[in-house]
Amino acid sequence: MHKAIARGRARLFAGCLLATAPIWALTTQSQELEAPLPELLPWQGASEKLIIQKGPWVTPAEASGFATTPDYQQTRAFVQRLEKASPDIRASDIGISASGRKIQLLTLTAGGSDPRTNGKPTLLVQAGIHSGEIDGKDASFMLLRDYIGGDQALRQLIQQVNLLIIPILNVDGHERAGPFTRMNQRGPDNAGWRTNSNNLNLNRDYAKLDTPELRAVMDIVNEYKPSLYLDVHVTDGEDYQYDITYGYNGSFATDSPSIAKWLETRLQTTLDTNLAKAGHIPGPLIFGVNSKSFADGINHWTASPRFSNGLGDLRHLPTVLVENHSLKPYRQRVLGTYVLIEASLQALAEDGKQLQKAIAADQQRRPENQVLAWSTNKTPDTTVFGKTPFKGIDYKKEENPITGDEQVVWLGKAKDYPALPVFIDNVKSVEVRVPKAFFIPKSETLVLERLKAHGIESTEPAQKAGTLTQLNVDDHHFATEPFEGHFRVSATFSEDQVDRNLADYVKVSTDQPLGKLAVALLDPRGPDSFFQWGFFNGIFQRTEYYEPYALVPLAEKMLEADPALKKEFEKKLQDKNFAGDPRARLEFFYQNSPYYDQAYLKYPVLMAY
């Protein structure tokens, strides 16, 4: 048993008011409409000793028996109490949502020192990016309460490590709360909504930075330079025994191999050991490959930079995506999250210097090629879990009259899978050569603003002119439906060498710590590039045209002056479709004339190799 859990948690405080969340009273009709969830396995663990039931510092979640979580105002009120109770805890507002709610950051440091300058490793814990998945907020409040109460293990850790907490990132979604926001999740009864007030999923915004919430996160990352970042979520999928699952881009496909090694060895050992001692069952991120047959295996995912762990990999920020199991009770999930946070502090306190060396080593890597997208290996690996079987839940399949199809029914009984197939995202699907620099037109102000928000450095070009590589769009396809507020676009490209006056360009060198992130954002072949998110859609429209009375005599002059063009035109006339289409024939001459828009279908960001 971890000593921080074995101690009694009784604390004496004076003059403090109790802040509690309201208990949701469901009507009989509402209770009847609640989605039935699979039967639970019985659970009890040493982490239950973390709960206190009496005294002025019972947290709002504890006061409700973990039935509810405090709303926005109650959360800020509890934060204010924490800040007043200890000079080591400070609260600040780091951003404002689209609806005008302030996003808070809590810092916990020994003596209230500045985590930006005290030289200690820093843990950043983010809760509520999906505000219905709010476990990290209530776990953090319990941990801070215990620190204030004199918990010696926590106090020793904070002598060596800084702790930053964002209690609620999606503050607007947090207030769209109620018993019918999360159908497949056990509590809290007033869980918030997944998306923000603009219906954007913040956990798809790490690359494009459309939202004020994510730009606030990037400000914190750039300013405080955390050594480790925990992004706390709750799952959506299958049933299994694990209650706390987590993951990161592994060494099989990573842009930060030294960090990946530290995460896979040093951090994972501490997290798994401490969680197991506390009575929890830690496991990897779990995404079933077949919702109707769990035995078919799971996918070992490699995240792109639209996600926290994908971005962290590219910017060499050790990032752990935490996914607590939605079918486990809220109480159990919050307790497991507490243990996870404390174990992360322990790993940084004991081995933070080695992690800093790993970060520095990855920041200095300058590979010639970069993989922008990974696909799933069709050959499964059955050795990922080693000799330990996968801890699943038994199920059966039944014909269902609602769907007219076979459905999975989870049986609430433990079932181990000794050789569960794991399909790993380790096949290179998009790989590019890394340029020495990108040159971005100064007119692309939105792109330049987002690069700055990421912390990517840019300069004025030293040379006045240069021969650079430009990508031409040969074929493109727009999505038929919006995704995260954008109509995404994919394309195939060819290359040209072009001479440019660089006075109107900004240079982004890839020889910088965030160079790999710059490549992922600026090379249009990447799935999370600004191009594919639609930031450059202006190149797909033409704004100048021709009139036949001007183009026809010009075409006659072109044929007389250019024998090669005449030969090409005659060859195209052999195509009956072309020959019978007057507009296509005119387009041929317009595109070969000096009047044609030379920016049409030309990716405006140039590359120097």
Side-chain angles (χ1 to χ4, degrees):
M1 184 185 302
H2 192 263
K3 62 181 180 181
I5 297 169
R7 297 181 300 275
R9 298 289 182 159
R11 305 290 183 236
L12 296 175
F13 294 93
C16 297
L17 297 175
L18 179 64
T20 61
I23 302 297
W24 282 85
L26 301 180
T27 65
T28 301
Q29 181 183 14
S30 295
Q31 290 173 336
E32 291 174 353
L33 289 175
E34 283 187 277
L37 295 179
E39 184 179 345
L40 273 171
L41 289 173
W43 179 82
Q44 113 178 85
S47 63
E48 291 174 297
K49 295 181 180 179
L50 295 166
I51 300 170
I52 63 172
Q53 297 178 335
K54 296 180 180 180
W57 278 98
V58 174
T59 66
E62 289 171 311
S64 72
F66 295 94
T68 62
T69 187
D71 67 17
Y72 175 78
Q73 293 297 342
Q74 292 164 335
T75 295
R76 290 184 69 88
F78 194 79
V79 166
Q80 187 176 29
R81 290 182 62 215
L82 290 168
E83 187 179 25
K84 287 182 178 179
S86 172
D88 295 354
I89 299 174
R90 297 184 179 180
S92 60
D93 294 320
I94 59 173
I96 301 176
S97 73
S99 293
R101 293 185 179 90
K102 295 177 181 179
I103 304 163
Q104 277 191 311
L105 174 74
L106 286 168
T107 64
L108 172 61
T109 61
S113 62
D114 190 338
R116 295 165 290 191
T117 59
N118 64 17
K120 299 176 184 178
T122 295
L123 172 65
L124 171 60
V125 178
Q126 175 182 285
I129 187 170
H130 295 150
S131 62
E133 306 166 16
I134 203 62
D135 307 17
K137 177 186 70 176
D138 289 317
S140 297
F141 283 176
M142 292 174 65
L143 185 143
L144 291 172
R145 176 270 314 282
D146 290 343
Y147 179 86
I148 291 171
D151 187 301
Q152 289 305 304
L154 285 173
R155 287 186 168 270
Q156 289 173 10
L157 290 174
I158 297 302
Q159 288 295 323
Q160 304 169 77
V161 183
N162 306 312
L163 176 60
L164 310 182
I165 300 167
I166 300 175
I168 314 168
L169 181 59
N170 182 7
V171 286
D172 289 346
H174 189 274
E175 296 312 282
R176 186 179 172 183
F180 300 115
T181 56
R182 304 280 294 180
M183 181 181 293
N184 56 321
Q185 179 175 304
R186 279 192 166 93
D189 292 341
N190 59 337
W193 199 253
R194 177 180 297 270
T195 50
N196 73 357
S197 56
N198 297 122
N199 203 32
L200 297 178
N201 187 338
L202 302 184
N203 197 39
R204 304 295 184 271
D205 195 37
Y206 277 90
K208 55 187 175 64
L209 297 184
D210 282 340
T211 62
E213 296 92 342
L214 258 295
R215 291 195 293 273
V217 172
M218 285 306 104
D219 287 344
I220 294 306
V221 167
N222 290 323
E223 186 176 351
Y224 288 85
K225 296 178 173 53
S227 307
L228 181 61
Y229 176 20
L230 302 182
D231 178 20
V232 184
H233 292 248
V234 179
T235 66
D236 300 307
E238 296 81 3
D239 201 1
Y240 39 79
Q241 298 172 51
Y242 306 101
D243 55 356
I244 308 296
T245 69
Y246 63 92
Y248 31 77
N249 280 4
S251 57
F252 55 84
T254 182
D255 291 296
S256 298
S258 298
I259 291 171
K261 183 177 180 181
W262 190 91
L263 293 173
E264 289 176 338
T265 55
R266 183 63 185 85
L267 180 67
Q268 185 167 328
T269 297
T270 302
L271 297 186
D272 288 356
T273 299
N274 288 17
L275 283 164
K277 286 181 178 179
H280 297 274
I281 305 179
L285 294 177
I286 297 165
F287 305 100
V289 298
N290 183 353
S291 62
K292 295 184 178 180
S293 180
F294 187 77
D296 288 355
I298 61 174
N299 172 239
H300 202 321
W301 174 51
T302 299
S304 73
R306 72 184 61 173
F307 303 98
S308 61
N309 49 331
L311 183 87
D313 186 22
L314 281 167
R315 65 176 296 137
H316 316 302
L317 166 60
T319 302
V320 178
L321 175 63
V322 181
E323 290 279 4
N324 297 333
H325 190 208
S326 62
L327 295 177
K328 301 297 186 287
Y330 189 55
R331 176 175 180 270
Q332 182 178 348
R333 302 196 321 260
V334 170
L335 295 177
T337 306
Y338 182 122
V339 176
L340 183 88
I341 295 170
E342 188 172 16
S344 299
L345 290 169
Q346 179 186 334
L348 283 180
E350 295 173 352
D351 208 28
K353 291 182 179 179
Q354 285 301 117
L355 178 57
Q356 288 303 129
K357 290 180 180 178
I359 294 170
D362 287 336
Q363 287 177 338
Q364 293 166 10
R365 294 182 69 245
R366 300 292 185 268
E368 293 182 359
N369 295 321
Q370 182 171 330
V371 180
L372 299 179
W374 298 89
S375 58
T376 305
N377 197 322
K378 295 180 180 180
T379 302
D381 188 328
T382 58
T383 65
V384 170
F385 295 97
K387 296 180 180 180
T388 304
F390 181 88
K391 296 180 180 298
I393 295 290
D394 198 9
Y395 66 94
K396 63 181 179 179
K397 292 186 280 188
E398 291 182 346
E399 292 287 336
N400 188 281
I402 299 294
T403 64
D405 194 9
E406 201 173 51
Q407 300 296 311
V408 166
V409 178
W410 300 102
L411 301 177
K413 298 178 181 179
K415 178 181 179 179
D416 290 349
Y417 296 81
L420 188 71
V422 179
F423 296 86
I424 304 176
D425 289 355
N426 60 3
V427 178
K428 299 175 183 178
S429 60
V430 179
E431 185 175 19
V432 298
R433 186 162 54 116
V434 176
K436 294 179 180 178
F438 294 95
F439 290 84
I440 306 168
K442 291 180 180 178
S443 59
E444 298 291 347
T445 54
L446 181 59
V447 170
L448 294 172
E449 287 171 2
R450 298 296 165 84
L451 291 172
K452 183 178 181 180
H454 274 294
I456 294 172
E457 297 175 359
S458 62
T459 61
E460 291 286 333
Q463 69 272 39
K464 294 182 179 179
T467 301
L468 303 168
T469 299
Q470 183 168 46
L471 296 178
N472 309 314
V473 175
D474 294 332
D475 188 28
H476 65 280
H477 174 73
F478 279 99
T480 57
E481 296 180 353
F483 177 64
E484 295 303 314
H486 292 255
F487 278 91
R488 286 177 52 82
V489 59
S490 58
T492 57
F493 300 89
S494 58
E495 292 185 3
D496 272 339
Q497 299 302 303
V498 296
D499 294 322
R500 287 288 186 273
N501 182 330
L502 298 177
D504 293 330
Y505 286 80
V506 172
K507 178 182 178 181
V508 174
S509 171
T510 57
D511 187 15
Q512 60 173 297
L514 297 182
K516 293 180 78 67
L517 177 57
V519 174
L521 297 174
L522 293 174
D523 191 305
R525 293 162 289 197
D528 276 322
S529 62
F530 290 138
F531 173 87
Q532 293 202 27
W533 278 111
F535 283 38
F536 294 97
N537 284 354
I539 70 172
F540 296 105
Q541 63 183 27
R542 283 160 44 182
T543 56
E544 293 288 353
Y545 301 92
Y546 61 85
E547 295 294 343
Y549 62 75
L551 182 56
V552 170
L554 176 61
E556 292 170 349
K557 291 175 63 176
M558 292 167 66
L559 289 174
E560 291 177 6
D562 190 342
L565 182 69
K566 181 178 180 181
K567 186 176 181 179
E568 184 181 354
F569 179 62
E570 291 172 346
K571 183 178 180 180
K572 289 185 72 68
L573 287 174
Q574 296 174 16
D575 181 341
K576 292 182 179 180
N577 291 329
F578 177 83
D581 187 343
R583 183 174 181 83
R585 293 167 72 152
L586 286 173
E587 279 290 326
F588 170 82
F589 288 101
Y590 183 51
Q591 291 177 19
N592 283 280
S593 78
Y595 291 95
Y596 189 69
D597 183 358
Q598 297 305 308
Y600 179 56
L601 299 182
K602 306 286 187 182
Y603 182 54
V605 177
L606 308 177
M607 292 174 277
Y609 289 96

